Amino acid sequence: MRAQLPFLAITLAGLVTAGCAVGPNYHAPAAMPDTSGPFVSAAGPATTAAAPSAAWWRLYQDPVLDKLVQQALVENTDLKVAAANLAYAQALTSEARAGFFPTTTLSAGAPYGKVLTTSPTETTYEAGFVAAYQVDLFGRIRRGVEAAKANAQAVQAAENAVRVTVAAETAGAYANACAYGEEAQVARRSLETTQQTYDILVKQRGLGSVSDLDVAREATLLDQARAAVPGLEGQRRAALFELAVLTGKPPADIPAEAAGCVAPPRLSQAIPVGDGAALLRRRPDVRESERQLAAATARIGVAAADLYPTVSLAGSYNAAAPNTSGLGRASSITFGVGPLVTWSFPNILVARAHVKESSAQASAALASFDGVVLQALKETEQALTTYQAELQRHDALASAQAHATEAFGLARSQYRLGAISFLDLLTAQTTLIAADQALAGSDQLLAADQVAVFQALGGGWQDAPKVVPPKAG
């Protein structure tokens, strides 16, 4: 009886102090200075301080874009991979929680042989039951569950980040397809105008009023205008192929609604951007990094628990008899119950090394979190700056295109009246073609910059439809 007292004392202490857990308790890192205020690049009429819209693509009021993004958020293959990774992480959390419950083992067999050297060779029937429960004396299991839960939350945030990317890439591919369609139309109009001028010059050369040099110059411009169309059409088709795959379809299955688009989507209002504090709460990559830090902190406790003994309560029941009817007899039954203590003391160098490793990983996770915060702020400021600059450039190009259109109309009229030379007309025509192309190119850049702003703001994952990963086999 006295031999059992130390074990019972340890067991009782474990049950009393089971609420303790070694290792640091996690606290979310404080916000870095100057990260919660308004964006320095958000000044101007193009943005507002209002909270950004989660479904930001609806601000374009384009039903085709709305439909495409919704399809992508359900059928995109990258999202299905992310959903499968999340299911795996959640299963690991359930596995970690299983440590709170006893483990049980049932066994039965009928081996043939000798039990003792003096016994006859015969079949012995055996049955057994073992149950064990680990007392979470120093919080090894609890810290493990904390780490698994935080890791699953990090994977959830990673899935949200994929949603942000998929929505932005879908909107970007649609905008590119539409923009290339617009540029192709501009190129065709330029080709048509150049063709008309060339036909007039050919007639005038027949009358001897223009030289072969004038016709050759216009022929060069005509060939250049003709060469621009196939390239733009090829880029438009490539964007449509990308759009099809983003929505989970083969490239040949181009969305019919997008195939005929010839103007990129345009915003009819200023972009709501919020502030830095809201950005850091909204960005999935920031939340993913913070949860990874929480998991790394919990793993310090898991490692620290190995410095202390592990206490388990175990019970066993076994029976062995030459026939099945004898398994219930008292003489064939053995049983045992009691605590089991395991401890690597005094050699705890490995456990101490594991604690240092976990602490170093947590320090790295903290530095990584700070880096992700700074990266999020930088991307947003850069996107806003680029967008504001392109808006100013677009306004200037629109004004230049209007003036070039007016100048070409005047030059054509004056040329017909003989008031200016063909070279003057050619110069005006070349300027107009370049202005048309530059404005159409700016339309594409403007749409891409808007999508970049929305992506940097981190919206698009809230209340999104659930993606079901495909089942293997």
Side-chain angles (χ1 to χ4, degrees):
M1 179 66 181
R2 290 181 179 179
Q4 295 179 351
L5 288 178
F7 294 101
L8 295 176
I10 293 174
T11 302
L12 182 59
L15 294 174
V16 172
T17 62
C20 301
V22 296
N25 293 320
Y26 176 72
H27 300 284
M32 299 176 66
D34 301 325
T35 60
S36 59
F39 300 110
V40 298
S41 303
T47 60
T48 68
S53 172
W56 52 264
W57 52 89
R58 293 176 184 166
L59 296 177
Y60 288 101
Q61 299 181 357
D62 187 330
V64 175
L65 177 59
D66 293 347
K67 180 180 178 181
L68 291 171
V69 172
Q70 287 301 114
Q71 288 177 347
L73 291 178
V74 174
E75 301 297 337
N76 184 268
T77 54
D78 288 341
L79 271 176
K80 292 181 179 181
V81 172
N85 290 338
L86 176 59
Y88 175 75
Q90 291 171 337
L92 289 178
T93 304
S94 298
E95 179 181 344
R97 287 197 179 103
F100 286 124
F101 301 93
T103 59
T104 56
T105 304
L106 289 173
S107 62
Y112 178 80
K114 287 186 176 183
V115 178
L116 299 173
T117 57
T118 59
S119 64
T121 302
E122 61 182 355
T123 299
T124 303
Y125 294 90
E126 300 176 352
F129 171 81
V130 177
Y133 172 72
Q134 181 177 333
V135 181
D136 196 19
L137 184 59
F138 297 102
R140 177 187 287 104
I141 297 174
R142 274 167 290 167
R143 294 302 193 195
V145 172
E146 285 179 21
K149 184 178 179 180
N151 181 71
Q153 291 169 340
V155 176
Q156 173 73 74
E159 188 211 28
N160 294 340
V162 175
R163 290 182 181 275
V164 173
T165 300
V166 167
E169 288 182 348
T170 302
Y174 174 69
N176 281 337
C178 296
Y180 285 129
E182 179 187 36
E183 292 183 60
Q185 278 197 334
V186 169
R188 291 190 190 94
R189 288 198 301 268
S190 298
L191 176 60
E192 182 180 355
T193 300
T194 306
Q195 183 69 58
Q196 291 173 353
T197 304
Y198 177 79
D199 293 341
I200 293 173
L201 287 177
V202 170
K203 292 180 181 179
Q204 291 179 338
R205 183 180 61 179
L207 299 175
S209 57
V210 299
S211 66
D212 290 341
L213 177 59
D214 292 337
V215 175
R217 285 172 175 169
E218 189 65 19
T220 300
L221 201 61
L222 179 62
D223 290 338
Q224 290 174 342
R226 186 179 294 113
V229 176
L232 293 170
E233 280 295 336
Q235 289 175 306
R236 185 182 71 87
R237 295 281 295 178
L240 289 171
F241 292 148
E242 180 182 3
L243 187 59
V245 173
L246 283 167
T247 55
K249 300 176 181 178
D253 194 2
I254 294 175
E257 307 92 332
C261 181
V262 292
R266 301 179 187 276
L267 287 175
S268 58
Q269 64 182 77
I271 297 179
V273 298
D275 57 21
L279 172 74
L280 299 181
R281 290 194 300 268
R282 186 172 55 251
R283 286 265 302 215
D285 56 341
V286 175
R287 290 185 291 107
E288 178 186 4
S289 184
E290 186 272 331
R291 289 290 81 199
Q292 288 173 342
L293 173 59
T297 303
R299 292 189 190 103
I300 298 175
V302 175
D306 288 337
L307 295 169
Y308 304 96
T310 299
V311 179
S312 298
L313 300 179
S316 64
Y317 170 93
N318 294 282
N323 52 62
T324 57
S325 61
L327 291 176
R329 295 175 182 173
S331 59
S332 65
I333 297 175
T334 62
F335 68 90
V337 63
L340 175 65
V341 179
T342 59
W343 196 7
S344 60
F345 181 83
N347 184 8
I348 56 174
L349 295 179
V350 173
R352 289 187 182 277
H354 287 169
V355 173
K356 292 180 179 179
E357 292 166 7
S358 300
S359 298
Q361 290 176 333
S363 296
L366 177 59
S368 177
F369 171 76
D370 290 340
V372 171
V373 168
L374 294 176
Q375 181 72 13
L377 294 169
K378 182 198 73 172
E379 289 177 356
T380 304
E381 295 286 5
Q382 287 179 331
L384 288 170
T385 296
T386 303
Y387 175 52
Q388 298 273 16
E390 189 58 38
L391 272 176
Q392 297 175 9
R393 178 174 177 268
H394 187 273
D395 290 342
L397 289 174
S399 178
Q401 192 268 349
H403 290 143
T405 301
E406 180 182 5
F408 178 68
L410 293 173
R412 185 160 51 183
S413 299
Q414 293 178 8
Y415 177 75
R416 289 172 179 172
L417 296 174
I420 61 173
S421 67
F422 172 73
L423 184 58
D424 293 330
L425 175 63
L426 184 62
T427 300
Q429 184 181 21
T430 304
T431 301
L432 176 59
I433 292 174
D436 286 341
Q437 292 173 342
L439 183 59
S442 181
D443 286 343
Q444 181 179 17
L445 289 176
L446 205 57
D449 290 343
Q450 288 171 351
V451 172
V453 169
F454 287 124
Q455 184 174 7
L457 291 174
W461 56 268
Q462 302 93 327
D463 300 324
K466 183 178 180 181
V467 176
V468 179
K471 293 184 178 180

